[in-house]
Amino acid sequence: MRRVLLAAAVITSTSVVRAQPADPYAPTPSPTPAPPPTPAPPPTPAPTPTGPTDPYGPEVPTHDAVLGEQVAESLVVRAQELYDARVFVDAKQLAVEALVASPKGQAAEHAKFLISAINKQLGISDAGDAPVTPLDTAPIAPPPIAPAVPRDTDGPSDPALLAARVHGGLYAGLIGTTIGSFFSKDTPAGGAIPVGIVGGVVGGLFFPRITDRLAWSQAQIMTAGAGSVWAGVAGSLIADAVKTDGTTAREVLVGGSIGSTVGLLAGAGLATRDNYTPGDLALVDTLAGIGVFGGFTMGMLMQPAESEAYSVNAVLGAAGGVVVGLVAAPNTNTTPRRMLRVAGLAAAGGAAPFLLYAGIHDKSSTTDERVTGLLSSVGLVVGAYVGFRLTRDMDVDLDVPGGTKKVAPVDDAPVAVVGRHSDGRWSLGMLGVQPLSTQLAPQPGLAMPLVGGAF
């Protein structure tokens, strides 16, 4: 019974407590503090070595060091292969990469050896062998300006002056020789020689003043001089050819003086246009000289009935050389230095057969003259060809007028055997076949152009 009453009292007390309202004016209870964090367990200390550590012993390699050494060995092996194949730049790059992958070790030593050997092959000095020069940060002073030195226009090194003296002396000497030959009918040489010498000296001194007043360049002086020289040669040969019997030296001099004067005037007119370079005129002189000499050698081959035929052949050769030179010169790369070599080889080729002529000469036959003339003519052509071939890379792009720039040639000629480009050059093309237009023929066909041009 007591237990029942005690249980009833407990139940009644609990119900009362649940039914009581909360006191709004009661103090707020403080929050319950969080429990402190559980401390982490201390790290397990590394096992202590059983013996003392050798500070000078080998370094124990790690996993990365071993991998780097393997990569470096592979790179060094490939670098060695490239070095043996003489691909030095790529071999050095791989050796440097091997040295970066493993700065120490056997592969690094091999890489350093390869880098040193490659530098020697490439002509590069090792930076470590030379002392490091500190960088000079001082401001760079401008170079001193040398005072202008007036050019000595009377010096022998001036090409224009030299050309004026040579051609002026030749023309005035020829005129003086012709005049002096009339001083004596019996001995024309008695007056021709001294007057010719005086005329040549006066012309060599006076003619440069004329060209200087005209402000002519070397090319213009050479243009007028070439006209005077080759027209004078042609006039002398024509004077010999027009008279079959008894042509005198005075008559030859008169013909040469007339031709030289006419050629000088024509050359001066052409020089005012200033279309040629000194190399162009050197080509004209070379081809004209080959033409004159070739005319004589062809006369030996022909053995004409009259000796004046030699002069006619030489005139034709000189005229042909001048015309071909004037037409071809603007489309070629020739300089006086180059043409001097071409002329020398052509002269050697033409003169060599005369050594044979001295051994085979026979007064009772003309076969020796014919053989020598043929061989000499061929030697001229072969010598000139060899000269052009051997000097084809000499003075490239230097055959231009003063103050101008070499313009690249334009290759726009249509397909044809002979073609003209829009810049005025003519050249040999190739064989080409194209369909025939139906407007030209009703049936289909093919056509092969022989000449084509662009303008």
Side-chain angles (χ1 to χ4, degrees):
M1 187 65 181
R2 289 181 181 178
R3 293 178 181 176
V4 173
L5 293 176
L6 181 58
V10 172
I11 293 170
T12 305
S13 175
T14 303
S15 303
V16 172
V17 172
R18 287 181 179 178
Q20 290 179 354
D23 188 0
Y25 302 101
T28 304
S30 58
T32 304
T38 305
T44 304
T48 305
T50 56
T53 304
D54 184 5
Y56 302 101
E59 182 180 357
V60 179
T62 61
H63 177 72
D64 293 340
V66 173
L67 180 60
E69 181 68 16
Q70 293 175 352
V71 173
E73 289 180 357
S74 301
L75 293 173
V76 167
V77 170
R78 180 56 181 162
Q80 182 67 48
E81 295 175 354
L82 292 176
Y83 176 80
D84 296 338
R86 304 188 66 82
V87 186
F88 299 123
V89 177
D90 294 343
K92 182 177 180 180
Q93 182 177 358
L94 292 180
V96 172
E97 293 179 1
L99 200 59
V100 173
S102 178
K104 299 179 181 180
Q106 195 171 13
E109 296 299 328
H110 192 179
K112 292 178 182 178
F113 173 77
L114 281 177
I115 293 174
S116 178
I118 293 171
N119 286 340
K120 291 181 180 179
Q121 294 291 339
L122 297 177
I124 302 174
S125 60
D126 294 335
D129 298 340
V132 178
T133 304
L135 181 63
D136 186 8
T137 58
I140 301 175
I145 301 176
V149 179
R151 186 170 63 93
D152 185 11
T153 56
D154 294 333
S157 60
D158 192 339
L161 176 64
L162 180 61
R165 285 181 174 175
V166 169
H167 288 292
L170 289 176
Y171 175 73
L174 175 61
I175 298 299
T177 302
T178 304
I179 295 175
S181 66
F182 286 92
F183 289 175
S184 175
K185 184 177 181 180
D186 297 331
T187 57
I193 294 176
V195 177
I197 294 175
V198 173
V201 173
V202 173
L205 295 176
F206 182 73
F207 196 72
R209 297 186 179 183
I210 299 177
T211 57
D212 184 61
R213 182 170 298 180
L214 296 174
W216 275 10
S217 63
Q218 179 190 3
Q220 291 175 297
I221 297 173
M222 292 179 65
T223 303
S228 172
V229 168
W230 297 115
V233 171
S236 300
L237 295 172
I238 292 174
D240 175 65
V242 295
K243 189 176 180 181
T244 57
D245 293 327
T247 305
T248 63
R250 184 184 293 113
E251 294 170 345
V252 173
L253 287 173
V254 170
S257 298
I258 295 174
S260 183
T261 302
V262 174
L264 178 62
L265 296 176
L270 186 61
T272 57
R273 301 173 59 183
D274 198 11
N275 292 336
Y276 298 99
T277 65
D280 296 340
L281 276 304
L283 176 64
V284 172
D285 291 339
T286 301
L287 295 182
I290 293 175
V292 172
F293 193 82
F296 289 131
T297 57
M298 289 300 295
M300 293 181 64
L301 175 63
M302 296 166 57
Q303 287 297 304
E306 297 292 340
S307 61
E308 286 75 16
Y310 286 89
S311 299
V312 175
N313 287 346
V315 170
L316 295 177
V322 170
V323 172
V324 172
L326 291 176
V327 173
N331 302 322
T332 59
N333 182 73
T334 54
T335 59
R337 190 168 74 105
R338 181 187 180 192
M339 296 314 302
L340 180 62
R341 289 158 175 76
V342 174
L345 290 174
F354 284 91
L355 300 176
L356 174 65
Y357 178 73
I360 65 174
H361 177 61
D362 185 5
K363 295 182 179 180
S364 62
S365 174
T366 60
T367 304
D368 50 348
E369 283 86 358
R370 293 179 184 272
V371 172
T372 304
L374 175 61
L375 294 178
S376 183
S377 301
V378 174
L380 277 174
V381 178
V382 173
Y385 174 77
V386 172
F388 279 110
R389 288 289 297 176
L390 294 180
T391 61
R392 61 184 180 276
D393 296 328
M394 179 181 291
D395 298 339
V396 178
D397 293 341
L398 294 182
D399 182 29
V400 293
T404 61
K405 186 178 180 181
K406 188 73 174 181
V407 179
V410 179
D411 295 327
D412 55 356
V415 178
V417 177
V418 179
R420 182 193 184 277
H421 304 277
S422 59
D423 57 358
R425 293 184 302 111
W426 289 85
S427 63
L428 292 177
M430 61 182 67
L431 294 176
V433 179
Q434 59 186 16
L436 188 63
S437 173
T438 56
Q439 297 180 355
L440 299 178
Q443 67 276 10
L446 298 175
M448 184 180 69
L450 297 178
V451 180
F455 299 89

